């Protein structure tokens, strides 16, 4: 076989390998985008990766022994491009499993422009995720802060008393609830665009 024919065959083989590699990368990228919503749904349903659950109402503390309190601590963070000041109004509370508790996070927009934010959340330890239930939360919808505005945003939650019966989770005495606020890409914002979760303006 002549050298030109050998080089031609080698070139064709290289192109086939390159096309296969591009196809694999494209498939993996598409799979990642497609699986992200499914992964998020899976976490919310199962409590996997410390994702809290969502419930309509607290079950009550019937059957919980006196003194079986759980300490819930609150953490806050913002993405690098989010200029808001964001922190919990109280750092921790002691709760009775099964009883609804209401706390607030405070957010301030120190800029001269309206900013839309969305919050992600999780709890640690991860094994407490299936037993940490939210009834209402600012994280369920986008939040809009006007220039210079400060608001107290509510979180209503309970710790499922079933956690006390789970051999893998009943040793949990402290749970940390964390939020991270991300800035939504720039859009036109007006007063009517404010999030649906109630918030208290801070004077």
């Amino acid at each position: 076989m002549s050298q030109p024919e050998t080089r031609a065959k080698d070139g064709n083989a290289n192109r086939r390998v390159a096309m296969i590699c591009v196809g694999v990368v494209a498939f993996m990228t598409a799979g990642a985008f497609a699986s992200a919503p499914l992964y998020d749904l899976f976490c919310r349903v199962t409590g996997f990766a410390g994702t809290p659950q969502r419930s309509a109402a607290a079950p009550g503390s019937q059957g919980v022994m006196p003194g079986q309190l759980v300490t819930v601590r609150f953490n806050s963070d913002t993405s690098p491009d989010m200029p808001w000041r964001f922190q919990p109004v109280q750092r921790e509370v002691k709760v009775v499993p099964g009883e609804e508790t209401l706390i607030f996070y405070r957010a301030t927009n120190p800029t001269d422009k309206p900013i839309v934010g969305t919050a992600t959340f999780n709890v640690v330890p991860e094994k407490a995720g299936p037993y940490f239930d939210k009834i209402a939360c600012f994280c369920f919808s986008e939040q809009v802060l006007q220039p210079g505005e400060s608001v107290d945003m509510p979180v209503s939650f309970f710790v499922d008393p079933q956690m006390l019966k789970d051999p893998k989770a009943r040793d949990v005495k402290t749970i940390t609830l964390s939020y991270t606020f991300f800035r939504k890409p720039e859009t036109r914002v007006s007063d009517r665009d404010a999030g649906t979760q109630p918030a208290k303006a801070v004077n």
Side-chain angles (χ1 to χ4, degrees), residues 53-62 64 95-102 131-136 155-162:
Q53 305 298 287
R54 187 170 178 176
S55 297
S61 58
Q62 185 175 0
V64 177
V95 304
V96 177
E99 292 187 0
E100 182 178 351
T101 300
L102 177 66
Y131 301 105
F132 195 96
D133 292 67
K134 294 181 182 180
I135 299 172
V155 182
S156 177
F157 69 91
F158 66 90
V159 176
D160 192 331
Q162 292 300 315

Side-chain angles (χ1 to χ4, degrees), residues 81-150:
D81 64 340
M82 169 57 87
W84 287 1
R85 294 193 296 269
F86 174 57
Q87 65 279 324
V89 174
Q90 58 269 78
R91 288 295 173 181
E92 67 177 43
V93 295
K94 294 186 182 297
V95 304
V96 177
E99 292 187 0
E100 182 178 351
T101 300
L102 177 66
I103 62 95
F104 290 88
Y105 274 76
R106 180 168 297 161
T108 301
N109 177 8
T111 74
D112 59 357
K113 296 180 179 180
I115 293 178
V116 182
T118 58
T120 61
F121 51 87
N122 75 305
V123 299
V124 292
E126 290 187 6
K127 59 186 177 181
Y131 301 105
F132 195 96
D133 292 67
K134 294 181 182 180
I135 299 172
C137 181
F138 61 86
C139 59
F140 292 162
S141 62
E142 294 178 348
Q143 300 297 321
V144 180
L145 266 65
Q146 300 299 323
E149 183 181 14
S150 291

Side-chain angles (χ1 to χ4, degrees), residues 5-21:
E5 290 177 340
T6 301
R7 284 196 295 269
K9 288 191 174 182
D10 288 344
N12 290 336
N14 290 338
R15 281 194 292 272
R16 284 196 298 270
V17 171
M19 291 178 64
I20 291 173
C21 290

